[in-house]
Amino acid sequence: MKMSREELRDKIMAIRGFKRPCVSTVVFSQGDEKDFVILSTVRSLPRYDIDEKPTKGWNNRYLGFIQDENQINVALTRAMRGMIIVGNQHLLQCDDMWKKLLQYYRQSRCIIDGSGVEAGRQPRQNQRLPMVPPRSQPWAH
């Protein structure tokens, strides 16, 4: 399902407690910081279609701009207080930088497998995720 930025903003505004969300691309968010960011990596494939040893051409075709290190850096440094990354971890880990980042988040127990998530379902009231230190850049090591 594709939505325009305006449609996505309107849907977010309909959720109680959200005021004036900003929906933007990574390029347009450069130089801007927000308290909280939801980053959608946009791309996905069924697990059985993901190449176990992808070539550079395969990555270019199926990962596109989300493998650009500058774009990744800009995207991951916009949030001051918290960030949620929505994406297909099996596809993202085909890229070396995303692979390092995902390993770090796994070790920090910050990944939730969304395969069983239902649209509109409310999270458990006391459910908390561990916090990753702000501005840490494990992918750069």
Side-chain angles (χ1 to χ4, degrees), residues 45 47-55 58 94:
L45 281 175
R47 197 166 183 180
Y48 57 81
D49 280 343
I50 299 173
D51 198 330
E52 289 183 28
K53 295 181 181 178
T55 64
W58 190 94
C94 291

Side-chain angles (χ1 to χ4, degrees), residues 1-66:
M1 175 170 98
K2 283 190 163 190
M3 269 190 254
S4 71
R5 291 185 343 194
E6 293 77 20
E7 290 171 322
L8 183 57
R9 185 191 64 236
D10 292 344
K11 285 195 176 286
I12 293 171
M13 285 179 67
I15 300 171
R16 194 177 84 217
F18 281 95
K19 296 177 185 167
R20 299 192 51 178
C22 174
V23 179
S24 180
T25 65
V26 172
V27 172
F28 287 121
S29 70
Q30 193 161 357
D32 195 14
E33 291 183 330
K34 300 292 181 192
D35 284 341
F36 298 96
V37 172
I38 299 172
L39 170 65
S40 172
T41 59
V42 181
R43 308 288 178 102
S44 192
L45 281 175
R47 197 166 183 180
Y48 57 81
D49 280 343
I50 299 173
D51 198 330
E52 289 183 28
K53 295 181 181 178
T55 64
K56 186 174 181 175
W58 190 94
N59 275 357
N60 287 341
R61 180 175 180 187
Y62 293 105
L63 291 172
F65 75 94
I66 61 172

Side-chain angles (χ1 to χ4, degrees), residues 114-123:
S115 59
V117 174
E118 298 173 26
R121 186 172 166 210
Q122 296 294 319

Side-chain angles (χ1 to χ4, degrees), residues 7 32 39 61-62 83 100-101 106 109 111 116 131 133 135-136 140:
E7 290 171 322
D32 195 14
L39 170 65
R61 180 175 180 187
Y62 293 105
M83 174 178 266
K100 290 176 191 173
L101 184 62
R106 274 189 204 99
R109 300 184 54 177
I111 292 182
M131 295 298 292
R135 302 288 185 226
S136 62

Side-chain angles (χ1 to χ4, degrees), residues 41-103:
T41 59
V42 181
R43 308 288 178 102
S44 192
L45 281 175
R47 197 166 183 180
Y48 57 81
D49 280 343
I50 299 173
D51 198 330
E52 289 183 28
K53 295 181 181 178
T55 64
K56 186 174 181 175
W58 190 94
N59 275 357
N60 287 341
R61 180 175 180 187
Y62 293 105
L63 291 172
F65 75 94
I66 61 172
Q67 64 183 335
D68 180 305
E69 292 182 11
N70 292 326
Q71 296 262 349
I72 296 169
N73 186 52
V74 169
L76 296 177
T77 57
R78 298 306 93 201
M80 295 185 297
R81 297 180 61 201
M83 174 178 266
I84 296 172
I85 302 171
V86 180
N88 181 331
Q89 64 180 318
H90 306 292
L91 179 59
L92 290 172
Q93 69 189 12
C94 291
D95 175 76
D96 289 337
M97 186 177 285
W98 278 106
K99 187 175 190 172
K100 290 176 191 173
L101 184 62
L102 288 165
Q103 286 172 341

